Amino acid sequence: MLELIAGQRSSLTGLLLPLGDRTLVLPNVAVAELCGQRNVLCQRGEPAWHMGWIDWRQQRLPLIGFEAACGGETPCGERARVVVLNALGDTGLRYLALLLQDIPRSCKLDSQLNYVDVALGRLELAAVQVGEQVARVPDLVGLERLVRDAQLQPDLG
């Protein structure tokens, strides 16, 4: 995904999204909004990656713990933040809310991405070197399918 976008220009601005045990990287266009919401209340549910719900622009979005969606454990600490991502696939979803563990950082991505050979989670497409850090490219379409297939419904009561 990053290659396609970066290949159209010499560089683009991306975001490094800090999780508990890894960092994700996405182009800015994938992000709808960095929520200023602090002290996120995580309410672990079923499935394990469902961390509760957030209200965003008169919509109720399921909060996703990416680490848990990849088979790990998603922490919910005092520095937790939420990023709302634009949905990319044909799932009918428009947005996804992802739990972060700190404030995202801006980065420059060029068309010559350096891939890193590391073990990837089931919702990771690649790992790339961004400055001094290894960041993983998430499979957003796969994440959307995971949410859609869970058929989560917000509690409107």
Side-chain angles (χ1 to χ4, degrees), residues 35 37 40-43 45-56 59-66 81-85 87 91-100 143-155:
C35 297
Q37 183 174 341
V40 177
L41 293 176
C42 296
Q43 302 166 343
E46 274 304 315
W49 52 261
H50 184 226
M51 308 297 287
W53 297 92
I54 67 156
D55 293 316
W56 179 76
Q59 297 177 62
R60 197 141 170 97
L61 304 176
L63 183 59
I64 301 164
F66 189 83
R81 302 284 196 283
V82 174
V83 64
V84 177
L85 305 174
T91 60
L93 299 173
R94 294 184 61 210
Y95 303 101
L96 300 171
L98 197 62
L99 181 66
L100 304 180
L143 194 60
E144 288 174 45
R145 287 188 192 118
L146 186 74
V147 173
R148 179 202 59 201
D149 293 349
Q151 297 181 342
L152 297 172
Q153 297 297 318
D155 179 13

Side-chain angles (χ1 to χ4, degrees), residues 13-137:
T13 304
L15 279 176
L16 293 170
L17 307 175
L19 303 181
D21 62 354
R22 68 195 85 186
T23 299
L24 301 180
V25 62
L26 287 173
N28 276 359
V29 297
V31 176
E33 186 173 322
L34 299 170
C35 297
Q37 183 174 341
R38 298 204 51 185
N39 300 323
V40 177
L41 293 176
C42 296
Q43 302 166 343
R44 298 180 198 279
E46 274 304 315
W49 52 261
H50 184 226
M51 308 297 287
W53 297 92
I54 67 156
D55 293 316
W56 179 76
R57 295 188 184 185
Q58 292 136 11
Q59 297 177 62
R60 197 141 170 97
L61 304 176
L63 183 59
I64 301 164
F66 189 83
E67 302 95 326
C70 288
E73 188 72 28
T74 299
C76 187
E78 61 186 46
R79 296 182 59 94
R81 302 284 196 283
V82 174
V83 64
V84 177
L85 305 174
N86 293 308
L88 304 173
D90 60 355
T91 60
L93 299 173
R94 294 184 61 210
Y95 303 101
L96 300 171
L98 197 62
L99 181 66
L100 304 180
Q101 297 306 313
D102 208 344
I103 298 169
R105 291 187 340 262
S106 182
C107 64
K108 283 286 185 200
L109 303 170
D110 63 27
S111 59
Q112 301 300 314
L113 294 172
N114 294 318
Y115 289 90
V116 179
D117 187 20
V118 297
L120 298 174
R122 68 178 181 173
L123 290 170
E124 296 172 343
L125 300 174
V128 295
Q129 191 75 36
V130 180
E132 300 294 315
Q133 185 167 21
V134 172
R136 289 141 191 269
V137 179

